[in-house]
Amino acid sequence: MRPSKRDELVQEALKVFYQNGFTATGMDLLVKKTGISKTSMYKHFRTKDDLILAVLRLRDEQLRNWFFRRVEELATRPIEQVLAIFDVLDEWFEQPEFQGCMFIKASSEFQCADDPIYSQCTEHKKLMHSSILKYVLAIETDEGEIPSDVAEKLAEQFMLLMEGATVLKHMGVSNSAAQDAKLAAVSLLQGNGICGYDA
């Protein structure tokens, strides 16, 4: 099915905001880069913030669908899927269009906790954490399932590693950030007595 004009606008705006930032991207730049008139934009979105929210929702859907589909293409066992997260992170870093995390950027530009844009960024991170937690909870050890509190803490720590690696890669501080984070994840698993994987 052919995408609607609204869908096309959101997709094109996503590219512009990701490349240029949110505050720095005015409506004139959006018109220039997307080829869509202001009249058409305001027909679909009452404000620029409404457009940003639509962009963030699309980015969340696209990124999570791609990310966890790739994890499950690379590995089948939960413990291997946990580590494959960092391999997929590395794939994302190596994409030519990679310019860091759109949600980290947006939350730094819209910093009030009650701002809908900030809330949308928070929701994305919560959804990422929830998906990672499912993989951790599915790991079977010699003693059985991982206790839920241990799994929760591991999922939080893996998120910390992912977010840190994303920032370091984006800032050019480390070219091996994802694989370094994977090694740290291996250490966390070992520290919790979880074995049965290839590092």
Side-chain angles (χ1 to χ4, degrees):
M1 185 171 64
R2 188 176 186 276
S4 67
K5 285 291 184 185
R6 183 186 185 280
D7 292 339
E8 289 179 358
L9 169 56
V10 175
Q11 184 64 62
E12 291 302 312
L14 189 158
K15 297 173 187 174
V16 179
F17 283 131
Y18 188 49
Q19 184 177 20
N20 298 281
F22 296 94
T23 305
T25 300
M27 297 304 285
D28 288 339
L29 181 59
L30 280 169
V31 168
K32 179 181 178 182
K33 292 287 189 179
T34 65
I36 299 170
S37 68
K38 282 186 184 179
T39 301
S40 183
M41 287 189 188
Y42 285 119
K43 176 184 175 182
H44 296 290
F45 298 98
R46 187 172 55 85
T47 66
K48 179 182 164 185
D49 283 7
D50 289 341
L51 176 57
I52 292 172
L53 280 169
V55 162
L56 290 172
R57 292 185 187 108
L58 176 63
R59 179 63 173 172
D60 168 65
E61 180 184 353
Q62 289 180 339
L63 183 62
R64 285 191 299 111
N65 285 346
W66 170 80
F67 195 97
F68 293 110
R69 185 178 67 249
R70 284 294 297 139
V71 166
E72 292 175 14
E73 287 171 352
L74 293 175
T76 54
R77 295 172 60 216
I79 198 160
E80 293 166 348
Q81 289 171 331
V82 165
L83 295 178
I85 286 168
F86 298 95
D87 296 323
V88 178
L89 197 67
D90 207 14
E91 288 183 12
W92 179 40
F93 292 171
E94 295 308 313
Q95 292 177 358
E97 65 272 20
F98 174 75
Q99 291 186 310
C101 174
M102 177 174 270
F103 300 93
I104 293 175
K105 291 179 178 182
S107 64
S108 68
E109 293 190 45
F110 300 87
Q111 299 183 24
C112 293
D114 59 352
D115 190 305
I117 293 173
Y118 184 95
S119 298
Q120 185 65 42
C121 297
T122 302
E123 179 64 15
H124 166 74
K125 297 302 181 185
K126 288 180 177 178
L127 290 169
M128 291 291 291
H129 173 270
S130 178
S131 294
I132 292 166
L133 179 59
K134 287 178 184 177
Y135 292 132
V136 179
L137 284 168
I139 295 172
E140 291 284 345
T141 69
D142 292 340
E143 288 76 32
E145 295 180 352
I146 297 175
S148 59
D149 60 330
V150 175
E152 180 72 34
K153 179 57 67 177
L154 280 169
E156 289 177 4
Q157 291 169 330
F158 294 150
M159 280 290 293
L160 283 170
L161 292 172
M162 291 171 65
E163 298 303 315
T166 301
V167 171
L168 292 182
K169 176 62 178 181
H170 175 55
M171 296 181 70
V173 176
S174 171
N175 287 323
S176 59
Q179 291 307 313
D180 291 343
K182 182 178 180 179
L183 291 174
V186 169
S187 295
L188 286 170
L189 290 169
Q190 291 174 334
N192 283 276
I194 301 168
C195 302
Y197 53 85
D198 297 320

